[in-house]
Amino acid sequence: MTKDELWQATLAQLQFQISPANFATWLKNTYILSKDSGQVLVSVPNNFSKEWLENKYNRLVFKILRGLDGEIREVMYTVER
């Protein structure tokens, strides 16, 4: 599974677990920037989204990613400029 396919599968599962408004607000324009040595780096559009995902949805995102790829050990977020 490519990193894009992995993220699309993750987003598909997240859509069923959070409200459409929250999904559109926090997960729109996000994608996996890199996946290396069990670490996934997710690109987000701004610092506010980064903080929100880290504080509110990181556990859920990690759980879904880990379920799709058992090698994943950590999820991090970055604002790509």
Side-chain angles (χ1 to χ4, degrees):
M1 185 179 298
T2 69
K3 63 184 182 185
D4 292 334
E5 291 168 338
L6 179 62
W7 191 239
Q8 289 308 310
T10 301
L11 291 176
Q13 289 189 38
L14 282 166
Q15 281 185 302
F16 293 111
Q17 300 191 39
I18 63 177
S19 73
N22 279 340
F23 184 85
T25 301
W26 306 117
L27 293 160
K28 186 177 172 190
N29 300 320
T30 61
Y31 59 92
I32 293 178
L33 192 59
S34 67
K35 178 178 169 267
D36 188 41
S37 302
Q39 182 185 70
V40 172
L41 185 60
V42 178
S43 175
V44 297
N46 55 55
N47 280 318
F48 195 61
S49 294
K50 178 181 184 286
E51 286 184 33
W52 190 267
L53 286 169
E54 287 172 343
N55 293 324
K56 298 288 183 184
Y57 292 120
N58 190 53
R59 234 186 211 150
L60 180 58
V61 170
F62 175 76
K63 180 181 167 189
I64 292 170
L65 279 167
R66 180 73 189 252
L68 293 167
D69 183 340
E71 293 179 9
I72 293 173
R73 302 279 178 259
E74 182 179 22
V75 180
M76 297 177 65
Y77 304 89
T78 186
V79 178
E80 197 175 28
R81 303 209 185 267

